[in-house]
Amino acid sequence: MASRSQLPASYQFSQLQRELNKMPAAQQRKMRTVVRQVGQSALSDARSRAGSWSRRIPASISMRDYVSPAQGRVGVELRASKSVPHARPYEGISQQGSTSYFRHPVFGNRERWVSQKTRPYLWPAVNGRAPAMRAGIEKAVDDAARECGFR
């Protein structure tokens, strides 16, 4: 059998995933707490970016942490609630893809449409912290793997 360092990375990852599946629930909660802490700074930054020009959007922004060893996913997701319909267009998310302008009727008057510039708040908050968030999540996974006996 080949030594561990000679095995392909995909095999090593699947081996790690199998080991993390055996992780006790208490350890999963501990890793979830660390992942939540990593994403908290991006969440507060996104809320402050939107809060400078909107009252409703900051309250609609939430964070969801992913700690699913079975799926091989560990990370965080920021999202704006669908209860605030103007949140997605301001972020620049539309059916046409990511754009820098969006169109809407003036006060519901379908005869008069205007273009308005987007004001991204989620993507810049995450993008600016991506290296630190990635390092924090990798450390949490490494710590959990070591506690499971994976070297």
Side-chain angles (χ1 to χ4, degrees):
M1 180 81 182
S3 72
R4 184 171 294 223
S5 62
Q6 295 173 339
L7 295 173
S10 61
Y11 178 78
Q12 290 179 0
F13 180 72
S14 63
Q15 188 177 4
L16 171 65
Q17 189 173 356
R18 281 193 301 276
E19 292 295 320
L20 289 177
N21 276 336
K22 299 174 189 173
M23 185 180 356
Q27 210 166 8
Q28 285 185 15
R29 281 192 301 272
K30 181 180 172 185
M31 191 162 90
R32 188 177 297 275
T33 302
V34 172
V35 169
R36 231 181 261 128
Q37 290 170 349
V38 167
Q40 195 63 39
S41 64
L43 176 64
S44 62
D45 185 26
R47 285 180 175 163
S48 68
R49 286 174 186 270
S52 64
W53 49 269
S54 173
R55 289 178 304 131
R56 294 173 56 200
I57 292 177
S60 76
I61 301 172
S62 64
M63 179 181 66
R64 179 178 176 197
D65 55 295
Y66 289 105
V67 177
S68 176
Q71 295 176 350
R73 292 173 44 161
V74 177
V76 294
E77 173 186 82
L78 294 181
R79 59 171 53 173
S81 170
K82 291 181 180 179
S83 65
V84 182
H86 60 285
R88 288 177 57 89
Y90 271 118
E91 177 63 26
I93 302 168
S94 68
Q95 293 177 349
Q96 291 80 31
S98 184
T99 61
S100 59
Y101 288 92
F102 65 98
R103 293 181 45 79
H104 63 89
V106 178
F107 296 111
N109 179 1
R110 299 254 178 218
E111 301 296 319
R112 179 137 193 262
W113 287 70
V114 294
S115 293
Q116 189 166 347
K117 191 164 177 50
T118 61
R119 294 178 166 187
Y121 51 93
L122 292 174
W123 180 247
V126 172
N127 197 30
R129 289 173 171 70
M133 290 173 66
R134 187 174 295 117
I137 290 172
E138 286 174 359
K139 183 181 180 319
V141 170
D142 287 345
D143 292 346
R146 275 194 204 88
E147 289 179 19
C148 286
F150 193 79
R151 294 178 192 248

